[in-house]
Every structure is written in C-alpha cells, then in structure tokens.
Amino acid sequence: MKKLIATLLTTLSLGMGLVSGAHAAAGGIEWDKFPKEKMTDMASLQNGAKLFVNYCLNCHSAAFNRYNRLRDLGLTEAQIKSNLLFAGEKVGETMKVSMDAKQAKDWFGATPPDLTVIARSRADGAKGSGADYLYTYLRTYYRDESKATGWNNLAFPSVAMPHALWELQGQRGAKFAEEADPHDASKTVHVFKGFEQLTPGTLDARAYDSAVGDLVAYLQWMGEPAQAQRFRLGVLVLLFLSVFTVFAWRLNASYWKDVK
C-alpha cells in the first residue's frame, strides 16, 4: 500500500507541472492564497465538481474516487447521472478516462496524472498548501507561441499541459523586462511585469478567479472527502476530553482529601 501511494504521488508530481519550477532567478513566483471558505460552501464544491467533470476529466482521471461519493456534496444520484455522467458510466464507477496513456504521452510529452490526491501532493511548507499552488497555477497561464501547446505558465514554466480553462479566462499575454540580477550585477534576469488581455473569456477576471477557487476546493475535497467530518469529530473528542478531565481531577481530589 505504501509503495502504491509513493508511486502515485511521484506520478502526480511529474505530470501536471508539479515539480518546482524557477521563475527568473528568484526560485519561482509566490503562491496566492486559496480562499479556504469555499471548502465549507456546498454550492462552490458542487460547481467545482461540474468544472472538474467538464474541463479536467477529458484527460485526467480520478481513479481513486467514485461518482457516487458526490452525494456527500448534497447531490442526488439522479443529479449525478443527468449532469455529470456523459459516456454511459454508472454512478458507482470510478472517475476514469478513456484516453490511451501511450497516445496521451505522445501528444503532451507526459501522461496526464491522476488528480485524486493532487491537492495534497503539492504542498510546500515554505510557500503554502497544495490548494494554494493549484489556485496560482490555474490563474497564471499565458500565450507563448514558442511552446508546442502555445501556452506557458508562471507557476510552472514550460509546462506541458495546455490551458484547459482558456475559454473561461480568455487568452492573455505576459509582459517581461530584462533587469539586473540582484545577486550578480553582471547578469540580467527576465522579470514578469504583468498580463495583458488578448481576447476576452466567457467570465470576467473576478468570476474566473471564483470559478478556479471552486475547482480547487473540489480537488482539495476529493483528496480526502471525509476531512470535514474528521475535523468535526476531532473537535467533539477534544471537548469530551476537556469535560472528562475536570471530572477526573475533582474525583481524584475527592479520593485523596483524607490522605495526609
């Protein structure tokens, strides 16, 4: 089991821009903070599931998660069938894709990784959580005709994955400038100066960021669907132990009160 988990995490890390990439000479861009409040918003999680099925599940699988687990997000079996199953899958099946792994590697240069635990695999104590990384990654794509896919990414330069959500965000270009390297005055570094909108998307910038937040919330939830329940149970256990400690302390005092 441990070997399986290690293999899965390694595959994830190598596939979806999940190896730390350098941006200029600064060791990569800072990660934006994922809006954690979306983790407790059922509407956000349901929208994230819809986005995942429509935009991610074409290439990426989530083979360690079943469609019927979406009932934990407040969806009925009928809603799952009518809105999230498009190829005749059964509600009890795992979220797999029909794309051939060998063909995918030929097309993209790497087999698209399974996304079941993607949010948990990319945490970096120095930069933030895996959700922070994904939230930044999906919002920093830009057009780059020098790349095979026509896309590049600030969070993972030269990423093999094209921008799956470009219709929502639109197409953006990135502006760079050459500046002196702060560590070596004889060298220059390529410094990011901002984005420019080339073509509009179906969503404005604020709505797109919200949609990405919903998608990342779902990916975070999918990595451990019982996480919220575990947290609630943990709080109840701590409350019980706190009350029990008071009773145990007073009972101990009662037993020993006559002992000099």
Side-chain angles (χ1 to χ4, degrees), residues 140-186:
T140 54
Y141 267 98
Y142 63 93
R143 270 295 182 187
D144 186 347
E145 298 304 327
S146 68
K147 305 302 178 184
T149 63
W151 295 97
N152 209 332
N153 190 283
L154 290 180
F156 184 70
S158 300
V159 65
M161 175 180 162
H163 189 9
L165 304 177
W166 75 268
E167 290 181 322
L168 302 180
Q169 188 183 31
Q171 301 183 68
R172 299 191 302 174
K175 295 179 288 186
F176 295 91
E178 295 293 327
E179 295 185 359
D181 188 337
H183 306 290
D184 187 347
S186 63

Side-chain angles (χ1 to χ4, degrees), residues 45-169:
L45 289 168
Q46 290 173 4
N47 186 49
K50 182 183 74 173
L51 291 169
F52 176 78
V53 170
N54 281 280
Y55 292 96
C56 303
L57 202 54
N58 298 310
C59 301
H60 297 277
S61 63
F64 298 89
N65 191 57
R66 297 184 183 276
Y67 286 100
N68 58 12
R69 194 68 201 239
L70 297 175
R71 291 180 298 190
D72 293 351
L73 298 181
L75 298 174
T76 65
E77 190 167 306
Q79 289 173 323
I80 296 172
K81 285 182 178 179
S82 60
N83 298 306
L84 300 176
L85 297 181
F86 306 120
E89 306 97 328
K90 296 180 180 179
V91 175
E93 291 183 1
T94 56
M95 293 181 164
K96 294 183 179 180
V97 293
S98 57
M99 178 183 292
D100 180 77
K102 184 178 183 302
Q103 289 182 329
K105 187 172 183 180
D106 291 339
W107 295 336
F108 302 116
T111 303
D114 186 282
L115 300 184
T116 310
V117 294
I118 199 72
R120 300 184 67 186
S121 72
R122 193 53 185 87
D124 184 329
K127 289 189 174 183
S129 67
D132 293 334
Y133 170 77
L134 293 174
Y135 184 64
T136 305
Y137 171 78
L138 292 171
R139 293 165 51 253
T140 54
Y141 267 98
Y142 63 93
R143 270 295 182 187
D144 186 347
E145 298 304 327
S146 68
K147 305 302 178 184
T149 63
W151 295 97
N152 209 332
N153 190 283
L154 290 180
F156 184 70
S158 300
V159 65
M161 175 180 162
H163 189 9
L165 304 177
W166 75 268
E167 290 181 322
L168 302 180
Q169 188 183 31

